[in-house]
Amino acid sequence: MHFFLASTALLALLKPHRASAASVDFIKTVTLDIANHDLAPDGFQRSTIVANGQYPGPAITAFKGQKLLVTVNNKLTDSSMRRSTTVSFDGIFQTTENAYNEGSAFVTTCPIAPGASYTYEVPLGGQTGTYWYHSELSVQYVDGLRGALIIYDPFDPHRNLYDVDDLSTLLQLGDWWQIPSVTLLTGYEGTGIVPVSDSGTVNGIGRYQGGPAVPFAVTNVVSGKRYRLRIINQSARNVFTVSIDNHPLTIIEADGVSTVPHTVDIIEMLAGQRYSVVINANQPVANYWINAPFVGGLPSRNLHQNATLSRSILRYKGAPIAEPTTPWTLGPVNGTVLVEADLAPLVNTVPPPVDITISLDLQVVAGKAIWNVNNISYLPPKVPTLNQVLAGASNSADFDPTENTFVLPAHKTIQIEFPPTEDDDAHPFHLHGSNFWLIKSMSSPNQNTVNPIRRDVAGVGGSGTIVRFRTDNPGPWMFHCHIFWHKQAGLATVMLSSPADIRQNANPSAAWKELCPTYDALPAELQ
């Protein structure tokens, strides 16, 4: 497919010299046909919603500084699932001028109607690293619409640490349900119990208890080479714990930010988080387990669930085409576990002093599918936030209280504080439009205002979490839980920076302006 790069060509382009960087076209076009396909990622066949017929969707690759033109053709027809759609590019900082292409349903855009197409403009600017795309409409990406987005840096400062970095070194983790998301959501709304997945998948392949022995995904390596593995938790709920038997993991990136190399054996990943790790293929030629057990609700609520089945294989060239002979485990018993607070940015930017402090208190309504932020359960407005701003909305009073919109001045430093909770459950809060300094990780009791990591997804809960960000990119940016069941239940806010700057600088296209009238005219069953 035209948006894949062959491994050899990619490695050649990655050599740090200006000629290769200059040879990359500024604009790259990508086509995603969103349609229903019968697939069986874990051996159970069901109708899905996927891009270009596959789960996960095709990986989109680009280079630093390029602009993506991503055409989404909505070909959905299955009435058991949502038939409109949107696509969001997680972690990409759409600019104020381009906020209308950001893809957040009912915040920056209306969904794309069935039978319609829309082309998202995605300028990548100076961003590099590991990202992903997924449906941002309701819980639709549960049905399969998710895939990787990788931005390569020809001048990567970590380039001397690895030999191979291509599509063969992606590890895409996902939770998988055998029942369509609309049915699951109805059950959640009726009981207040978040659906428990049937399985976990690694690169689109998984197994469930009592199901067929689907061949595991394989990552091939050559003895003596070093590999940059880009690991993405594309789940809608599950927390994955990643390790590779006999192979330490040296972290060099978190959510698109290069880190000081930090070696561990085990990484816990919340929904939406991404890490790049380097592994050295210096072990005896054999097959090794890549362990990716997960947690996400009580297994007793879904007897298909067996966390040890969530895994794949690291296969050395010359090893038999077979599963490893070593035991299936949840990972090393005494291995070093990543402590998020130990991560440090490779290039440090000291967090500026705080101008505005906001406290966000999260509460669930017992027995109901309702989550509140400061006693408000977010409800998507009929008219998207951006449309309201362009029509003149400027103050909090201009928005319905259920939109939970915080109006912020431009070019200020905002600190958001999540108070401690009685349990250690982590809500992975994700910020659109920019990333944040993680002043206090829930993994540590300490605050760090000297060299905290910057990322765009962090766990909220336990001993409390503090993040800090700048409003230098005015726009209506969601800040929400990336457990999409919780987001759908109201665990979301909108951080709206400088409506006046948005009106002055945003210039939506005619195609974008047609999205809402077309969607609003649809009968409910097609929305």
Side-chain angles (χ1 to χ4, degrees):
M1 297 180 183
H2 60 273
F3 42 82
F4 283 105
L5 290 175
S7 299
T8 53
L10 175 61
L11 288 174
L13 282 169
L14 283 173
K15 292 179 180 178
H17 56 78
R18 295 189 179 276
S20 62
S23 68
V24 176
D25 291 336
F26 174 66
I27 294 177
K28 182 169 188 179
T29 59
V30 175
T31 300
L32 299 179
D33 290 330
I34 311 303
N36 303 113
H37 289 270
D38 289 339
L39 299 175
D42 62 0
F44 180 91
Q45 184 166 291
R46 56 157 291 192
S47 178
T48 65
I49 295 176
V50 291
N52 295 9
Q54 63 188 78
Y55 166 76
I60 300 174
T61 62
F63 284 88
K64 179 179 179 179
Q66 284 189 297
K67 175 192 281 190
L68 297 173
L69 298 181
V70 183
T71 298
V72 172
N73 300 314
N74 185 350
K75 300 182 177 183
L76 297 172
T77 57
D78 190 332
S79 61
S80 71
M81 291 174 279
R82 293 292 293 263
R83 279 181 277 181
S84 294
T85 193
T86 64
V87 174
S88 178
F89 305 89
D90 258 28
I92 301 301
F93 310 153
Q94 295 280 29
T95 61
T96 305
E97 296 82 358
N98 202 49
Y100 64 95
N101 279 309
E102 197 265 337
S104 292
F106 309 111
V107 177
T108 58
T109 189
C110 279
I112 304 166
S117 300
Y118 183 77
T119 297
Y120 294 94
E121 293 188 19
V122 190
L124 301 177
Q127 290 188 264
T128 62
T130 307
Y131 306 89
W132 62 302
Y133 65 90
H134 60 80
S135 169
E136 192 85 32
L137 176 63
S138 183
V139 292
Q140 188 182 61
Y141 85 77
V142 163
D143 295 310
L145 179 43
R146 29 186 159 165
L149 168 56
I150 309 301
I151 310 174
Y152 295 106
D153 183 358
F155 304 94
D156 179 14
H158 286 312
R159 187 64 186 88
N160 65 328
L161 298 182
Y162 56 87
D163 305 302
V164 181
D165 175 27
D166 57 27
L167 294 181
S168 73
T169 61
L170 286 181
L171 288 179
Q172 300 179 78
L173 313 176
D175 40 17
W176 190 252
W177 282 265
Q178 297 172 359
I179 298 172
S181 65
V182 170
T183 302
L184 293 171
L185 184 58
T186 299
Y188 175 38
E189 292 171 342
T191 65
I193 299 173
V194 177
V196 175
S197 70
D198 293 279
S199 58
T201 60
V202 181
N203 289 341
I205 298 174
R207 294 183 186 179
Y208 65 95
Q209 188 69 28
V214 179
F216 289 115
V218 176
T219 299
N220 292 292
V221 298
V222 175
S223 183
K225 290 188 178 293
R226 303 161 303 166
Y227 293 81
R228 177 175 182 162
L229 305 182
R230 296 175 183 263
I231 313 172
I232 309 171
N233 185 353
Q234 298 173 348
S235 70
R237 178 181 189 179
N238 291 356
V239 180
F240 285 85
T241 302
V242 181
S243 63
I244 304 177
D245 287 357
N246 295 3
H247 292 76
L249 312 173
T250 299
I251 299 169
I252 60 171
E253 176 217 347
D255 295 358
V257 175
S258 293
T259 68
V260 175
H262 182 67
T263 301
V264 297
D265 300 300
I266 302 167
I267 301 175
E268 182 180 89
M269 298 185 65
L270 305 180
Q273 290 186 326
R274 297 92 61 200
Y275 289 101
S276 281
V277 303
V278 174
I279 64 165
N280 194 341
N282 59 1
Q283 296 299 300
V285 171
N287 292 292
Y288 297 86
W289 286 121
I290 300 174
N291 309 295
F294 60 88
V295 294
L298 295 174
S300 60
R301 290 186 170 138
N302 189 335
L303 298 182
H304 282 170
Q305 189 176 111
N306 181 343
T308 62
L309 296 176
S310 183
R311 58 186 55 249
S312 64
I313 298 170
L314 183 75
R315 176 169 295 151
Y316 279 65
K317 183 177 181 179
I321 308 301
E323 293 182 3
T325 57
T326 51
W328 295 28
T329 71
L330 298 178
V333 175
N334 297 313
T336 301
V337 181
L338 169 64
V339 176
E340 183 183 44
D342 291 342
L343 293 174
L346 184 65
V347 178
N348 186 33
T349 54
V350 177
V354 176
D355 296 307
I356 298 172
T357 299
I358 299 172
S359 180
L360 297 183
D361 187 25
L362 315 182
Q363 317 96 5
V364 63
V365 178
K368 296 184 180 294
I370 299 174
W371 275 92
N372 294 326
V373 181
N374 292 357
N375 296 313
I376 297 174
S377 183
Y378 176 83
L379 290 175
K382 179 175 175 58
V383 177
T385 309
L386 179 58
N387 300 57
Q388 295 182 61
V389 170
L390 294 176
S394 298
N395 304 299
S396 296
D398 295 328
F399 302 94
D400 192 284
T402 58
E403 296 176 57
N404 222 354
T405 298
F406 294 80
V407 180
L408 306 170
H411 308 300
K412 298 295 182 181
T413 302
I414 314 299
Q415 179 155 297
I416 298 183
E417 301 178 351
F418 295 88
T421 59
E422 294 181 358
D423 57 55
D424 291 327
D425 288 344
H427 293 278
F429 257 69
H430 170 53
L431 179 63
H432 293 222
S434 68
N435 57 19
F436 47 73
W437 289 276
L438 186 56
I439 302 298
K440 186 196 172 301
S441 167
M442 64 177 291
S443 68
S444 169
N446 303 317
Q447 295 189 27
N448 181 357
T449 58
V450 177
N451 65 336
I453 189 65
R454 295 189 74 166
R455 63 184 319 167
D456 57 65
V457 183
V460 170
S463 63
T465 304
I466 299 174
V467 304
R468 194 178 294 181
F469 66 93
R470 291 281 298 172
T471 56
D472 293 332
N473 185 26
W477 310 123
M478 289 209 83
F479 187 44
H480 64 86
C481 181
H482 221 301
I483 297 174
F484 258 47
W485 306 103
H486 289 171
K487 179 192 173 194
Q488 182 66 18
L491 203 53
T493 66
V494 175
M495 297 293 156
L496 172 58
S497 170
S498 188
D501 281 342
I502 298 169
R503 282 191 292 273
Q504 180 178 346
N505 296 306
N507 187 24
S509 66
W512 178 83
K513 292 176 182 177
E514 287 300 315
L515 288 173
C516 283
T518 302
Y519 177 82
D520 292 340
L522 292 173
E525 63 269 18
L526 293 181
Q527 292 184 334

